[in-house]
Amino acid sequence: MSESTDPAVPAGPADEIATGYAFPGPALELGALLWDGRCLPDRQIRIPLSMLNRHGLVAGATGTGKTKTLQLIAEQLSAHGVPVFLADMKGDVSGISAPGTAGERIAERAADVAQQWEATGFPGEFYSLGGLGPGIPVRSTVTSFGPVLMSKVLQLNQTQEQSLGLIFHYADAKGLELIDLKDLRAVVAFLVSDRGKAELKGIGGLSTVTAGVILRALTAFEQQGASEFFGEPEFDTSEFLRTAADGRGVVSVLELPAVQDKPQLFSTFLMWLLADLFHHLPEVGDVERPKLVFFFDEAHLLFNGASKAFLDSITQTVRLIRSKGVGVFFVTQTPKDVPADVLAQLGNRVQHALRAFTPEDAKALKATVKTFPNSPYDLEELLTGLGTGEAVITVLSQRGAPTPVAATRLRAPQSLMGPIEAAALDRAVKSSPLYPRYAEPVDRESAYEKISAEQAAAEADAEAAAAAAEAEKQAKAAEREAEKEAARAARGTSRPKPDPSLAEQVVGSGLFRSLARSIGTQVGREITRSIFGTARKRR
């Protein structure tokens, strides 16, 4: 796009577009309208604050400015008192807590879009998945995670997912708390043991083959580090709803670089956070400002290989959580990364540049254009010609209707566009009032300990029963012998002599006595030597 910033443009489509963004209430300032190769600083493009719980999408090719857009929106939400949750995939969003650095490019961008830029840091908290990386550990119990999300991350098929649901049901019914993965493993192993097989017989049972698949999948899951963040203390997701002392919303940054090579792990865990909020927040309907806004970076990782049950869960959560005052923004490369049913729920769109280097790219470009309302722009040409920090935008007005498509040069974030130093991050984590509450893991009695104790008790009972049976057998044998002895005494007979031993039989035989008589003779000596192997004396 041209760098011209001359606002003297004849009335026409540009004014019609700008009028669509002239909202009377509080709004986030995104940037200035681009029209006919010019940046028009007096035509501002905005999002109504009350529409942020209608969800959104930030999309675009790598290097087009998606992360900076995320940071820009998060800053303004915080300034309006709205808490924000950011998933920091690459570790470069932690800078939102520190003031930005002024420079020539910042000044030029601010002049282009009529922005009063001022270096500003925003209140932040930093979290990690169960202590994997820097941050306050965020943990979930297996029970809270639930069978659907667990099936997704274990990559189970439909039959195996149903079996896992049965296992969770049994554990709940028997009061076996599933806190960490060893609890789940213990219950699965018990239900296919000789003692446990009968437990599920009335409701379908659990095959040893399915149990084996689940146990192997759990082993692979643990190798990804999952055992670190399943446990207690379980994180209270209401911590994400806090505001700072000055009234600004706290920006919660989940640091994910340590697990970025485990996409199914962190994406499923992030969905647990969203689902947990959905279950615990009250219904509020339409509000002047959202209670919380989530940003899911690398959103395509949420959906790759997802089961139908998982996709249904996401779609339902996104559709219904709006009434809880929570907004969700997905950040990804193309809209086709997001399932159609989910995409249909996203009312606010910020589309950065797309590339069309291959036939597949060209196909994706055409599909993206079709998702926008009718526009006076040639969107195919526009989307491939946008510069870094420029985007095509359409949002929901306060009436809930889509605004006109607006090519926009976006404002610059006021916080640091990059990571803070590791030492500063560590200080921020350990100085948080939440750190002593969640830092140290707790391992209390749960399913594993209860099943182990029951198994030990059963083994002890079996040993005691075997010992009692042996003692009873010996007592009965002694009783029978006593009865025989008493009977013999009554008849006046003595106890029969035991049969003579082999040695006694030999000594008492006539042959032995005959040999003994001839032992003093030479013949007797020879016979004796031949029998007992003694040597003949030399003469």
Side-chain angles (χ1 to χ4, degrees):
M1 303 294 294
S2 169
E3 294 299 314
S4 171
T5 58
D6 180 9
V9 178
D15 283 341
E16 293 177 9
I17 293 171
T19 300
Y21 292 86
F23 312 117
L28 308 187
E29 305 289 342
L30 296 182
L33 180 67
L34 291 169
W35 180 257
D36 196 24
R38 299 178 180 181
C39 182
L40 312 177
D42 62 338
R43 274 87 161 177
Q44 291 291 309
I45 305 303
R46 313 158 75 221
I47 302 180
L49 187 61
S50 60
M51 291 292 109
L52 266 295
N53 68 333
R54 301 300 180 94
H55 314 315
L57 175 72
V58 179
T62 301
T64 56
K66 297 189 300 296
T67 301
K68 301 301 180 288
T69 298
L70 178 158
Q71 193 168 341
L72 173 67
I73 297 174
E75 288 179 355
Q76 295 192 54
L77 284 168
S78 175
H80 280 88
V82 178
V84 176
F85 178 93
L86 300 177
D88 187 6
M89 281 298 305
K90 300 180 287 293
D92 54 4
V93 185
S94 59
I96 198 168
S97 63
T101 303
E104 183 179 340
R105 294 180 63 184
I106 293 289
E108 182 181 350
R109 176 59 61 102
D112 281 354
V113 299
Q115 177 184 11
Q116 299 297 317
W117 191 89
E118 181 180 354
T120 309
F122 295 82
E125 291 278 13
F126 300 94
Y127 300 93
S128 65
L129 292 185
L132 296 173
I136 299 164
V138 177
R139 298 183 184 90
S140 164
T141 64
V142 171
T143 294
S144 294
F145 204 71
V148 173
L149 292 180
M150 185 64 74
S151 296
K152 194 269 181 181
V153 80
L154 296 181
Q155 301 182 45
L156 303 182
N157 63 30
Q158 184 177 5
T159 300
Q160 294 156 358
E161 182 177 329
Q162 291 170 348
S163 295
L164 188 62
L166 196 62
I167 293 166
F168 273 71
H169 171 76
Y170 171 79
D172 287 342
K174 296 295 183 179
L176 298 172
E177 295 89 347
L178 300 177
I179 293 175
D180 51 28
L181 291 181
K182 72 177 185 294
D183 291 324
L184 180 56
R185 183 185 294 279
V187 174
V188 174
F190 170 74
L191 291 174
V192 291
S193 68
D194 292 337
R195 290 178 50 237
K197 284 180 180 177
E199 294 287 333
L200 296 181
K201 188 173 292 184
I203 50 176
L206 176 66
S207 74
T208 54
V209 174
T210 297
V213 171
I214 293 172
L215 290 173
R216 287 192 296 273
L218 281 173
T219 299
F221 194 29
E222 288 172 319
Q223 290 174 347
Q224 294 186 44
S227 56
E228 294 292 330
F229 59 83
F230 279 102
E232 291 182 320
E234 183 174 43
F235 190 79
D236 183 355
T237 53
S238 66
E239 306 284 10
F240 296 138
L241 303 174
R242 294 182 301 130
T243 55
D246 60 5
R248 293 184 297 172
V250 172
V251 181
S252 299
V253 182
L254 182 64
E255 294 292 342
L256 293 170
V259 293
Q260 61 181 314
D261 58 338
K262 304 172 179 65
Q264 289 183 321
L265 187 65
F266 72 75
S267 62
T268 306
F269 197 81
L270 290 176
M271 286 310 300
W272 166 77
L273 296 180
L274 194 60
D276 191 74
L277 283 169
F278 172 74
H279 287 298
H280 290 95
L281 287 175
E283 294 279 342
V284 294
D286 292 326
V287 290
E288 291 184 358
R289 63 183 184 184
K291 288 188 172 184
L292 175 68
V293 177
F294 267 79
F295 289 88
F296 290 103
D297 200 2
E298 304 294 337
H300 64 282
L301 299 175
L302 287 170
F303 307 109
N304 284 350
S307 67
K308 184 178 184 302
F310 182 71
L311 292 176
D312 290 344
S313 176
I314 292 177
T315 303
Q316 183 182 34
T317 301
V318 171
R319 181 185 298 119
L320 298 178
I321 204 169
R322 178 187 67 79
S323 63
K324 306 295 183 87
V326 176
V328 182
F329 274 70
F330 295 99
V331 183
T332 190
Q333 293 191 3
T334 71
K336 70 185 183 75
D337 293 333
V338 181
D341 288 343
V342 177
L343 193 62
Q345 307 299 319
L346 311 182
N348 303 299
R349 296 275 302 278
V350 180
Q351 177 66 61
H352 288 266
L354 291 174
R355 310 301 182 214
F357 299 140
T358 68
E360 185 65 26
D361 291 340
K363 184 178 179 181
L365 175 61
K366 290 181 180 295
T368 299
V369 169
K370 290 179 180 178
T371 63
F372 281 94
N374 291 332
S375 167
Y377 294 101
D378 181 344
L379 287 179
E380 283 194 38
E381 180 181 349
L382 178 62
L383 286 173
T384 56
L386 291 171
T388 301
E390 297 177 344
V392 172
I393 293 174
T394 179
V395 303
L396 291 180
S397 71
Q398 291 166 316
R399 297 184 296 106
T403 58
V405 174
T408 307
R409 181 162 295 160
L410 297 164
R411 294 187 170 209
Q414 294 178 292
S415 57
L416 182 64
M417 290 187 279
I420 59 175
E421 294 182 354
L425 178 59
D426 186 63
R427 286 194 300 271
V429 171
K430 292 182 178 177
S431 64
S432 168
L434 302 182
Y435 185 77
R437 192 180 309 169
Y438 296 108
E440 293 299 323
V442 176
D443 189 10
R444 64 182 176 90
E445 184 184 59
S446 50
Y448 172 79
E449 288 78 12
K450 290 180 180 179
I451 290 175
S452 297
E454 289 178 2
Q455 183 176 357
E459 291 174 355
D461 290 345
E463 291 177 1
E470 180 63 25
E472 184 179 358
K473 179 180 177 180
Q474 293 179 359
K476 288 182 178 180
E479 184 180 351
R480 286 195 299 270
E481 188 60 36
E483 290 174 352
K484 290 180 182 179
E485 188 66 32
R488 284 192 293 271
R491 293 195 302 269
T493 59
S494 60
R495 186 186 186 96
K497 293 182 179 179
D499 294 336
S501 67
L502 177 61
E504 290 172 333
Q505 293 179 39
V506 171
V507 172
S509 68
L511 175 61
F512 187 85
R513 288 195 297 272
S514 176
L515 288 171
R517 283 194 298 270
S518 62
I519 215 62
T521 66
Q522 180 64 34
V523 174
R525 285 194 297 272
E526 294 295 335
I527 294 172
T528 302
R529 292 189 195 107
S530 68
I531 293 174
F532 295 103
T534 56
R536 176 183 293 181
K537 292 183 180 179
R538 293 181 179 272
R539 294 188 181 274

